[in-house]
Amino acid sequence: MNTPRTVKEIIEPQMAMEGAGVLLRRSISPQASNLRDPFLLFDHFAFNTPAEGPITGFPMHPHRGIETVTYMLEGSVHHRDSLGNADLIGPGDMQWMTAGGGILHEEMPRRGESGNIFGFQLWVNLPSTLKWSQPRYRGVSAEDIPTVEKDGAIIRVIAGEVDGIRGPVTEIAADPIYLDLRLAPDTQFSYPVPSGHTVIAYVFEGSGLLGADESPVSATSMVFFSDGDDFQVKTTDSPVRLMLIAGAPFKEPAVPYGPFVMNTQAEIMEAFNDLQRGTFIWNEADPRFKQG
Ligand code: FE
């Protein structure tokens, strides 16, 4: 059975200010309605003019109950966390951080040679069984992300599989697909996606015709799809570049508050109490926390 997905909704990202004053384009934000389950947030950092001021970044802050996924194309982000990791996420690098039961981290952008900072952060939910799990940090450098060229499409495979080539990010609860997809003009590309999974496409360069209905979409837009088992994109006279992201919904209640997404309001209160008492960070001696 082949049911191509059609475009259900196209939204234009809204400017938002986060961290210690970082201007970004936000297209999904955590909501109790959880309409994009398992995806909670999608931010696009794109700044390049000195008028945008000094780069302040995201000083040390907590996360619990989610995974944060950072992918950089220009410039870099310096990361430090309570697990002891310190890493520079540079152009083409990806970081998949599972906050689990509790982590503190710092994310500080740095301009590249071009002066630009261009990257993305996605938040993926965790199921209730993993919200108290041991945090995990995975840094993937650009050379470990395979590139597949196929019929005019150039695909960086971060998570998922293209023609038997598997991306380096595996063993994630949401069973994600994450492809950085570039299409030349007059090109068609289709990709099998599991039925029932949530599929989003973030178009950030050029324009293309998305879905079986060939909806015209131009940068910069976030696209949501109907259910089905095939994703399709086509170009005419312009190239297009997009992130194709898919994941399995957990179908659980989501209670988001700032950097936490839990299943109940009581768990949000517990996160604040933990921060106050100094018991926030995952600790195997604390019986509330589970092994990952
Ligand atoms: Fe963070």
Side-chain angles (χ1 to χ4, degrees), residues 5-236:
R5 294 201 181 219
T6 54
V7 169
K8 195 165 69 177
E9 196 182 345
I10 302 171
I11 63 164
E12 191 188 326
Q14 301 297 307
M15 295 306 273
M17 187 80 87
E18 274 297 336
V22 180
L23 196 60
L24 45 82
R25 292 187 190 136
R26 174 161 292 170
S27 41
I28 303 177
S29 61
Q31 305 287 340
S33 55
N34 204 14
L35 290 174
R36 320 300 182 193
D37 185 11
F39 304 117
L40 297 160
L41 172 142
F42 192 85
D43 280 347
H44 174 189
F45 317 102
F47 38 95
N48 50 20
T49 69
E52 281 162 301
I55 296 160
T56 42
F58 304 87
M60 209 45 95
H61 60 276
H63 284 294
R64 179 178 279 174
I66 60 169
E67 308 196 80
T68 67
V69 181
T70 307
Y71 179 48
M72 295 303 294
L73 292 176
E74 282 190 68
S76 54
V77 171
H78 190 261
H79 167 100
R80 283 196 309 143
D81 67 39
S82 52
L83 298 171
N85 298 298
D87 203 2
L88 195 64
I89 310 161
D93 296 345
M94 132 93 39
Q95 180 208 70
W96 202 293
M97 189 188 83
T98 306
I103 194 168
L104 301 179
H105 78 160
E106 177 187 273
E107 304 155 279
M108 305 305 272
R110 294 182 185 172
R111 293 184 201 278
E113 278 167 33
S114 59
N116 294 349
I117 292 182
F118 200 97
F120 306 91
Q121 189 167 84
L122 170 74
W123 289 10
V124 185
N125 209 353
L126 284 169
S128 54
T129 50
L130 293 175
K131 283 192 185 289
W132 294 89
S133 64
Q134 187 168 10
R136 184 173 59 170
Y137 171 89
R138 226 181 292 187
V140 181
S141 51
E143 62 267 25
D144 295 327
I145 298 175
T147 301
V148 180
E149 292 197 40
K150 190 182 173 183
D151 310 327
I154 300 173
I155 309 138
R156 294 193 84 217
V157 189
I158 295 155
E161 200 176 305
V162 178
D163 287 351
I165 310 243
R166 202 164 184 214
V169 177
T170 56
E171 294 165 48
I172 300 291
D175 191 20
I177 291 165
Y178 196 130
L179 306 180
D180 171 354
L181 180 63
R182 210 185 308 212
L183 257 73
D186 296 314
T187 301
Q188 278 195 55
F189 177 79
S190 70
Y191 185 78
V193 288
S195 280
H197 286 204
T198 301
V199 173
I200 60 180
Y202 191 73
V203 176
F204 61 98
E205 275 176 32
S207 58
L209 303 171
L210 271 67
D213 52 320
E214 302 192 353
S215 288
V217 180
S218 304
T220 306
S221 302
M222 174 61 91
V223 184
F224 302 96
F225 293 88
S226 64
D227 200 8
D229 59 13
D230 201 40
F231 163 82
Q232 301 176 346
V233 53
K234 184 172 163 180
T235 53
T236 53

